């Protein structure tokens, strides 16, 4: 890219000098060449801009789909409101984070345009990782302790007011309400359909 841009810039300067020193009908040739070079330089910038917009749109779509999947997970047993206390030990579903991790690591989101969204995605990823670790610890405790009191305590801990489930659902709804995701048709209404009312 640097070689191409540098070659075009040098060619532009040479053509500009040629244009100032030519006269008569021969001055049209460097003028046409300058216009061609300007078109080439503009094409490079426009192509990179369009490719960046396309990558951003794809990343937002992947993030939105993943968040809606997470909404469905939070609305499914054993997390859904009204779910009865489990009578047996179980393995809990986990929050998906691959699209969020990929978007944050690839820097496909604009640091200025998506500053708020990027900050919220970092917070969401931290919350989801903590939630997944908490579920792992809960499973270990449930499977290693034979008491049914442990199942009751785990259930109450998950479903309590301001507990992990409520915090995850609030964070998910806030993230889907951000302008980049809401304008992409992935706002709270879609999350409500995916995640159910809490």
């Amino acid at each position: 890219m640097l070689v191409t841009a540098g070659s075009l810039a040098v060619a532009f300067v040479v053509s500009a000098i040629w244009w100032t020193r030519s006269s008569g009908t021969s001055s049209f040739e460097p003028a046409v060449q300058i216009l061609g070079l300007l078109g080439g330089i503009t094409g490079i910038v426009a192509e990179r801009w369009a490719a960046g917009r396309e990558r951003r749109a794809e990343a937002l779509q992947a993030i939105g789909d993943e968040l809606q999947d997470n909404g469905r997970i939070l609305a499914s047993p054993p997390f859904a409101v009204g779910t009865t206390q489990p009578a047996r030990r179980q393995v809990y579903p986990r929050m998906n984070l691959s699209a969020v991790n990929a978007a944050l690591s690839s820097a496909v989101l604009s640091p200025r345009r998506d500053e708020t969204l990027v900050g919220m995605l970092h917070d969401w990823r931290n919350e989801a990782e903590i939630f997944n670790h908490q579920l792992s610890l809960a499973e270990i405790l449930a499977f290693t302790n034979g008491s049914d009191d442990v199942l009751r305590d785990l259930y109450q801990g998950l479903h309590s007011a301001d507990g992990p489930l409520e915090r995850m659902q609030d964070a998910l709804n806030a993230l889907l309400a951000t302008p980049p995701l809401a304008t992409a048709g992935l706002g709270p209404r879609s999350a409500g359909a995916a995640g159910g009312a809490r």
Side-chain angles (χ1 to χ4, degrees):
M1 188 189 76
L2 291 175
V3 170
T4 302
S7 299
L8 286 172
V10 170
F12 179 80
V13 171
V14 170
S15 296
I17 294 171
W18 180 18
W19 187 26
T20 59
R21 296 187 180 214
S22 59
S23 60
T25 57
S26 63
S27 64
F28 288 112
E29 187 176 347
V32 169
Q33 193 169 9
I34 287 173
L35 291 174
L37 291 169
L38 283 174
I41 293 170
T42 304
I44 290 175
V45 173
E47 188 275 332
R48 290 182 58 80
W49 178 79
R53 281 181 61 88
E54 184 177 350
R55 285 194 302 271
R56 178 180 180 272
E58 290 172 353
L60 289 176
Q61 184 64 50
I63 290 169
D65 291 343
E66 181 175 270
L67 293 176
Q68 289 180 342
D69 287 342
N70 286 330
R72 284 188 282 273
I73 289 172
L74 292 175
S76 66
F79 299 139
V81 172
T83 302
T84 57
Q85 179 179 327
R88 60 182 178 79
R89 281 102 182 118
Q90 60 186 314
V91 175
Y92 294 94
R94 302 298 199 268
M95 295 291 100
N96 300 316
L97 288 168
S98 58
V100 171
N101 284 334
L104 292 177
S105 63
S106 66
V108 69
L109 300 175
S110 170
R112 290 173 298 184
R113 182 179 182 185
D114 301 311
E115 182 179 0
T116 301
L117 176 62
V118 168
M120 293 180 72
L121 286 174
H122 278 290
D123 293 340
W124 163 259
R125 181 177 63 181
N126 294 338
E127 287 282 342
E129 286 179 345
I130 291 170
F131 181 71
N132 287 343
H133 288 311
Q134 288 173 335
L135 292 178
S136 297
L137 293 173
E139 289 168 354
I140 292 171
L141 183 60
F143 280 101
T144 56
N145 190 314
S147 172
D148 288 340
D149 293 340
V150 171
L151 294 178
R152 186 187 68 249
D153 293 342
L154 291 176
Y155 175 85
Q156 291 174 349
L158 275 175
H159 292 84
S160 63
D162 198 32
L165 284 177
E166 186 174 317
R167 289 196 306 271
M168 291 300 295
Q169 190 65 55
D170 290 344
L172 182 65
N173 290 338
L175 190 52
L176 283 169
T178 57
L181 294 176
T183 55
L186 301 166
R189 181 174 297 179
S190 299
R198 290 192 60 85

